[in-house]
Amino acid sequence: MAAMPNLEWQISDAPVSYEEAVAEMEARVAAIRAGAAPELVWLLEHPPLYTAGTSARREDLLDPGRFPVHRTGRGGQFTYHGPGQRVAYVMLDLAARGRDVRAHVRGLEDWLIRTLAGFNVAGERRPGRVGIWVDRAASGGPPGTEDKIAAIGVRIRRWVSYHGVALNVDPDLDHFAGIVPCGVNQPGLGVTSLVALGIPVSMAEVDAALMAAFAEVFGDASQVA
């Protein structure tokens, strides 16, 4: 895909509250729709919290008092966000990119898969399961065991996308125990991270990999503070 000069990156070094992030996204989406601001990819971390998508089931919140729970308009079910997880909120003008929501979601999947490949991790799609998965059996784990390493949840407003993806770099994986992540609780399925897979990467290294892979899938961009 050709370079898209009307797209920026923003990286937040300090944790951003979920309420602040949603307010900032909604304002930026409106500005993009009005032609008053360029597209944006925002990389950040949240303090520990759970979000409930439009398909979230009450019974999947296993420990309601553990962390704050935020109801959100994105698709999907319960997801954990917290330190050590790189959240990428992707605000793109889909009206200028083909008006294809399925292609946008597939692009987000391709982005994560290419990012993980940069660390020699084989991230994969699974039919009927949202997000990107790692086959633990392929690296010596028990047969049939797979772990989720990245989540995807999007919302579209007047053909501008927001919300996005969350890649587990080095979060406290025990924090996922308070929910059924994305409604998936079958035997042999779990949650992992790059560091848990034995890849001690820094968040800066992950950001660089995300930027490079994004350019391959969606087009290039310039970085902002």
Side-chain angles (χ1 to χ4, degrees):
M1 184 174 182
M4 301 290 290
N6 195 37
L7 190 154
E8 297 176 343
W9 289 87
Q10 179 175 329
I11 301 175
S12 295
D13 294 326
V16 179
S17 73
Y18 192 75
E19 297 92 336
E20 178 185 349
V22 171
E24 292 284 344
M25 279 193 290
E26 291 182 343
R28 185 63 172 241
V29 165
I32 293 169
R33 185 68 182 86
E39 298 174 314
L40 176 68
V41 181
W42 184 12
L43 303 180
L44 57 93
E45 293 173 86
H46 285 304
L49 58 91
Y50 297 129
T51 63
T54 54
S55 301
R57 300 174 299 189
R58 181 180 300 176
E59 60 269 25
D60 286 345
L61 181 59
L62 305 178
D63 189 353
R66 189 168 192 178
F67 298 125
V69 179
H70 298 270
R71 299 286 168 178
T72 175
R74 63 154 176 81
Q77 301 184 40
F78 280 104
T79 300
Y80 167 75
H81 295 310
Q85 182 189 72
R86 180 50 96 203
V87 174
Y89 288 135
V90 182
M91 289 153 269
L92 300 183
D93 182 1
L94 300 188
R97 292 174 176 265
R99 293 178 181 258
D100 190 331
V101 176
R102 288 187 178 182
H104 175 61
V105 173
R106 188 166 185 85
L108 295 176
E109 294 170 341
D110 287 340
W111 179 31
L112 290 166
I113 290 169
R114 289 175 186 241
T115 298
L116 291 167
F119 301 106
N120 295 315
V121 174
E124 300 174 336
R125 299 176 175 89
R126 287 292 181 265
R129 290 193 242 137
V130 180
I132 301 301
W133 296 78
V134 174
D135 184 356
R136 296 305 299 272
S139 58
T145 56
E146 298 180 342
D147 287 340
K148 188 171 188 175
I149 195 168
I152 299 173
V154 302
R155 188 173 183 182
I156 311 296
R157 178 174 292 173
R158 299 182 69 188
W159 288 110
V160 179
S161 71
Y162 60 124
H163 296 277
V165 305
L167 175 61
N168 295 334
V169 180
D170 189 21
D172 185 338
L173 295 178
D174 181 62
H175 289 178
F176 286 89
I179 58 172
V180 177
C182 300
V184 177
N185 60 355
Q186 292 100 314
L189 302 183
V191 181
T192 193
S193 68
L194 285 169
V195 170
L197 292 174
I199 304 169
V201 296
S202 68
M203 198 65 78
E205 290 173 315
V206 170
D207 290 347
L210 284 166
M211 290 179 185
F214 189 94
E216 296 173 1
V217 176
F218 293 103
D220 208 351
S222 58
Q223 183 178 346
V224 299

